[in-house]
Amino acid sequence: MNLSLLLAYMLAILLLLMTPGPVVALITGTAARHGYRRAFATVVGTNAASLVLIALAALMLTGLVSLNPLSLQVAGLLGSLFIGVIAWRGLRAATSATAHRPAAQGGLLKGFVVGISNPKDILFFAALFPQFIAITPDLSSSLITLALVWMAFDFAVLAFYIITVKRWLPGAHQQRLERISMLMLLLTALAGAFYNLRQLLL
């Protein structure tokens, strides 16, 4: 095993996962409003999305799948719209003083959809992931190793965010964080929709 390449991969995914994005915004907002159980269910959904992206990267590496740029842009646009709907509902619930029943945020399905349409993850698995495939001489072993390392780091980083929100942020700050998280999610969705729509119209 190429240990230097493995360490470089670990550093790359750690930096990627620690950088705030749609997944982190959804996880922290869900943790602030609904607590540990729903937040960790959301993590399971985002992890499942990562496995799908890893599988697609593996199929592209082996030449079994060739993705049309148009299909990626359409999927990106639909994903951005879905993220926007989640963010808008979450933002309305977070800013409504009269809401008796909190709107459901996060969860397995929402985590999966946000994860599968996350621009950071798509870019990573399409462009950077193949650079680490020589971690072992065997393609299958490399893919399994890279996938397991990704899953472990992904779960650890997102769990850190959840625990930080629930244990070290007072209730008032949790509500503020929830609003900020949903606003970030909405801005990400708008930026993603604008970019993909622009690419489709060019």
Side-chain angles (χ1 to χ4, degrees):
M1 181 177 290
N2 189 333
L3 292 179
S4 60
L5 192 59
L6 176 61
L7 289 174
Y9 175 70
M10 288 179 173
L11 179 60
I13 62 175
L14 183 61
L15 292 173
L16 178 77
L17 293 169
M18 290 295 290
T19 305
V23 169
V24 171
L26 180 66
I27 293 291
T28 52
T30 302
R33 176 171 284 271
H34 295 288
Y36 289 110
R37 185 174 179 179
R38 194 164 186 89
F40 277 108
T42 309
V43 172
V44 172
T46 62
N47 272 319
S50 295
L51 285 176
V52 172
L53 292 175
I54 289 171
L56 282 174
L59 291 173
M60 286 189 292
L61 283 169
T62 56
L64 294 175
V65 168
S66 179
L67 294 179
N68 186 339
L70 179 63
S71 63
L72 286 175
Q73 289 156 8
V74 171
L77 180 60
L78 293 175
S80 295
L81 293 175
F82 186 82
I83 291 172
V85 170
I86 293 172
W88 178 249
R89 288 178 178 173
L91 194 59
R92 287 183 60 192
T95 55
S96 174
T98 60
H100 298 292
R101 294 181 61 188
Q105 291 173 202
L108 188 66
L109 179 60
K110 288 181 181 176
F112 179 83
V113 175
V114 170
I116 204 76
S117 57
N118 183 359
K120 287 197 310 174
D121 288 1
I122 293 171
L123 180 62
F124 177 81
F125 288 114
L128 292 178
F129 186 79
Q131 309 303 316
F132 300 101
I133 204 63
I135 197 169
T136 71
D138 179 64
L139 178 62
S140 299
S141 299
S142 293
L143 289 170
I144 291 170
T145 303
L146 294 174
L148 290 175
V149 170
W150 172 275
M151 300 299 287
F153 274 67
D154 192 29
F155 183 83
V157 169
L158 294 178
F160 168 78
Y161 275 112
I162 293 170
I163 292 168
T164 299
V165 168
K166 294 307 294 177
R167 286 198 178 177
W168 293 298
L169 283 180
H173 290 300
Q174 287 184 19
Q175 292 174 1
R176 191 174 299 118
L177 174 65
E178 181 190 358
R179 288 193 292 270
I180 292 170
S181 297
M182 291 303 105
L183 184 59
M184 284 179 56
L185 203 59
L186 183 60
L187 291 174
T188 302
L190 290 172
F194 174 77
Y195 173 79
N196 286 292
L197 193 58
R198 186 168 176 267
Q199 293 298 311
L200 285 169
L201 295 177
L202 287 178

